[in-house]
Amino acid sequence: MKMRTERDSMGEIQVPDHALYGAQTQRAINNFPISGQQLPPAFIDAIARIKAACAHANGQLARLDQDKADAIIQAAGDIIEGRHPDAFPIDIYQTGSGTSTNMNVNEVLAHLAAARLGKAVGANDDVNMGQSSNDVIPSAIHVSAALSLSRELLPALHQLEQVILTKAEQLQCQVKTGRTHLMDAMPLRFDQELGGWATQIRYGRERLEGLQSRLQQLALGGTAIGTGINADPRQAQLACDYINRHTGLDFCPAEDYFYSLSSQDTAVELSGQLKTLAVALMKIANDLRWMNSGPLTGLAEIQLTALQPGSSIMPGKVNPVIPEAVAMVAAQIIGLDAAITVAGQSGNFQLNVMLPLVANNLLTMTRLLANSSPLLADAISGFTVNQPHIDRSLARNPILVTALNPVIGYDRAAYIAKQAYAENRPILEVALEETELSEQELRQLLDPATLTRGSQQE
């Protein structure tokens, strides 16, 4: 490979001749051959947006020559548009401040800007003017996460919620056996069951929306340790205004720079809410798996859309592949949240030193949830109900006798339930023999549709 010589404050180093990056990036490549995984493109996009915003601000403040500012902004635009993806090769597991990635972006933008301008542009002095990795990387975590939420995850959750509500409305007259402890319980309607799912999704979405105001506070302007050394005090607001014009969001400088550099509490909060949402999706996915189980020896209440053969050896087998995939996504998110919890504790004095891990995990979590939610929505929209099978089971559900408690007492009702179960007979038949109630009274009391209303009057 043809190489060129680059220099930084530590001396000379050989860099591939075609590379857009420079010496500090190459040192990081050499130092961290750990996972082979790079930080997500959404994170690099966020840093590029911050660099463009700071170049704009420093140009406006006459601290940076306007031609350099414009060239940096144009170079950042290339990165935001997805060009040069191979220019950011540094491993996730690197210096905890993310300095290597910050300098990687600085060097690439300086290289691209210099090529446009026809004169040197400094990675540190120009692209990184008025900034530090210590405020850029936490800001990029917030910017990338806020954009991922607003553009990907929140719309996906809204769609999932609406699909569930639509399906619930379609099934509002269909009654099934409820279950607690995986055992038969009182009947309920499908719309009641699915309504519970929709509420889980709505609450998850609302929790995420509720933290957006904190997520949109940026550490930008705090520079090295929160004092704002080497930054014009007006730079941060000008940069936030620029980012807002180009994203439609409402970023602002943090209320307390010492807090925003040393802690990752908002990231931990976001991670916790993503985990809560993952737990909700796993509950829904597992409900679907149970309801679909069978077709002969399971619950067989619904039939999910057949998507692919379910076995390499058993012909005709079809499995609930989408709920299984969603459950695995949920398990992964729970694990990623645990790692962020540990990372959040690593705010040593004035800086958290697990920032690349936080960035990667948050964006992985939002991406997995955003991508899997529409698949789950399709699975829910497409399932069919096996109502004849449900009705047969419902008629023999011994728990229906609960409705007789106020009339004949708990003990007599329990006797009828056990007798009906032992003889595999409908509750109605046994209750006719064991009580003085008429068939009309019993049919009214034991009507599953009526029981789904509880004590409510309709």
Side-chain angles (χ1 to χ4, degrees):
M1 182 184 298
K2 188 177 180 182
M3 307 294 284
R4 70 176 190 265
T5 301
E6 289 278 346
R7 296 171 181 81
D8 61 10
S9 61
M10 296 186 70
E12 295 184 348
I13 189 170
Q14 295 297 297
V15 175
D17 190 56
H18 68 276
L20 295 177
Y21 50 77
Q24 292 203 42
T25 300
Q26 188 62 53
R27 293 189 193 281
I29 293 170
N30 297 346
N31 288 338
F32 307 115
I34 297 175
S35 71
Q37 302 174 61
Q38 289 77 49
L39 282 157
F43 188 66
I44 302 299
D45 171 282
I47 300 177
R49 291 179 185 278
I50 290 167
K51 298 298 175 181
C54 288
H56 169 78
N58 286 317
Q60 292 287 101
L61 295 167
R63 299 188 71 211
L64 180 64
D65 292 344
Q66 193 60 51
D67 59 348
K68 287 188 176 181
D70 291 341
I72 293 169
I73 291 169
Q74 291 169 3
D78 289 347
I79 305 309
I80 293 166
E81 290 174 6
R83 301 176 191 172
H84 314 299
D86 297 335
F88 307 100
I90 298 176
D91 205 278
I92 294 167
Y93 304 98
Q94 53 169 284
T95 173
S97 62
T99 297
S100 297
T101 291
N102 183 43
M103 284 308 304
N104 183 188
V105 177
N106 287 337
E107 289 177 344
V108 170
L109 294 181
H111 187 112
L112 293 172
R116 273 188 166 87
L117 202 56
K119 66 178 182 181
V121 176
N124 290 87
D125 293 334
D126 297 324
V127 181
N128 201 58
M129 178 180 284
Q131 306 152 59
S132 164
S133 301
N134 298 0
D135 65 348
V136 167
I137 298 300
S139 296
I141 290 173
H142 281 217
V143 170
S144 59
L147 288 172
S148 294
L149 283 181
S150 64
R151 294 179 175 180
E152 299 173 20
L153 181 54
L154 291 175
L157 293 178
H158 179 75
Q159 177 200 3
L160 175 58
E161 179 188 347
Q162 293 306 307
V163 166
I164 296 173
L165 289 173
T166 298
K167 191 70 171 182
E169 185 177 1
Q170 294 169 356
L171 302 178
Q172 61 182 320
C173 296
Q174 294 183 256
V175 180
K176 57 169 283 185
T177 298
R179 291 180 182 83
T180 58
H181 304 266
L182 294 181
M183 304 298 286
D184 296 343
M186 293 298 293
L188 81 165
R189 299 188 308 272
F190 269 92
D191 67 301
Q192 293 171 321
E193 186 165 48
L194 270 65
W197 298 353
T199 300
Q200 282 189 283
I201 301 304
R202 175 167 61 87
Y203 284 168
R205 175 175 53 80
E206 289 174 351
R207 291 186 190 102
L208 292 171
E209 291 169 343
L211 57 79
Q212 284 279 52
S213 62
R214 291 180 292 283
L215 190 61
Q216 293 180 31
Q217 291 189 32
L218 302 186
L220 199 62
T223 67
I225 63 168
T227 61
I229 186 72
N230 291 347
D232 187 296
R234 297 166 290 177
Q235 175 188 316
Q237 186 60 62
L238 287 171
C240 287
D241 292 343
Y242 181 92
I243 295 172
N244 293 341
R245 286 196 298 273
H246 289 82
T247 63
L249 298 184
D250 191 22
F251 294 104
C252 62
E255 296 176 3
D256 186 329
Y257 285 137
F258 299 100
Y259 161 82
S260 59
L261 268 66
S262 64
S263 90
Q264 282 294 301
D265 291 356
T266 300
V268 173
E269 178 188 12
L270 172 56
S271 177
Q273 299 299 3
L274 294 172
K275 180 191 71 174
T276 302
L277 177 60
V279 169
L281 292 184
M282 183 173 277
K283 182 264 193 290
I284 295 169
N286 283 332
D287 281 354
L288 286 167
R289 292 171 63 209
W290 276 105
M291 292 159 68
N292 182 74
S293 61
L296 298 180
T297 59
L299 298 181
E301 292 182 339
I302 67 171
Q303 184 173 343
L304 293 167
T305 302
L307 297 176
Q308 63 187 62
S311 173
S312 62
I313 190 172
M314 293 177 281
K317 195 172 193 297
V318 178
N319 297 328
V321 293
I322 297 300
E324 288 173 353
V326 171
M328 286 190 284
V329 163
Q332 177 69 3
I333 286 168
I334 292 167
L336 293 172
D337 170 71
I340 288 180
T341 301
V342 174
Q345 301 170 43
S346 297
N348 307 129
F349 299 107
Q350 277 68 62
L351 183 68
N352 183 285
V353 289
M354 288 196 182
L355 298 177
L357 180 146
V358 171
N360 178 70
N361 285 16
L362 280 182
L363 292 174
T364 300
M365 294 162 85
T366 55
R367 176 173 53 83
L368 289 174
L369 288 166
N371 290 346
S372 60
S373 292
L375 301 180
L376 187 62
D378 289 343
I380 292 170
S381 176
F383 77 68
T384 57
V385 176
N386 187 359
Q387 196 63 50
H389 173 75
I390 290 173
D391 290 343
R392 286 192 295 272
S393 300
L394 191 56
R396 284 171 166 73
N397 181 3
I399 307 302
L400 293 177
V401 297
T402 303
L404 302 182
N405 286 357
V407 181
I408 64 174
Y410 182 95
D411 289 339
R412 289 189 68 195
Y415 174 82
I416 291 171
K418 292 176 182 178
Q419 189 79 1
Y421 179 73
E423 297 175 1
N424 192 25
R425 295 167 61 199
I427 290 293
L428 179 65
E429 289 183 12
V430 179
L432 274 171
E433 297 171 0
E434 301 294 335
T435 71
E436 297 176 356
L437 298 171
S438 69
E439 181 175 347
Q440 181 180 357
E441 290 175 302
L442 286 170
R443 287 190 181 279
Q444 184 175 359
L445 287 168
L446 298 173
D447 177 32
T450 301
L451 295 177
T452 65
R453 299 194 291 269
S455 58
Q456 301 174 20
Q457 298 297 317
E458 293 188 5

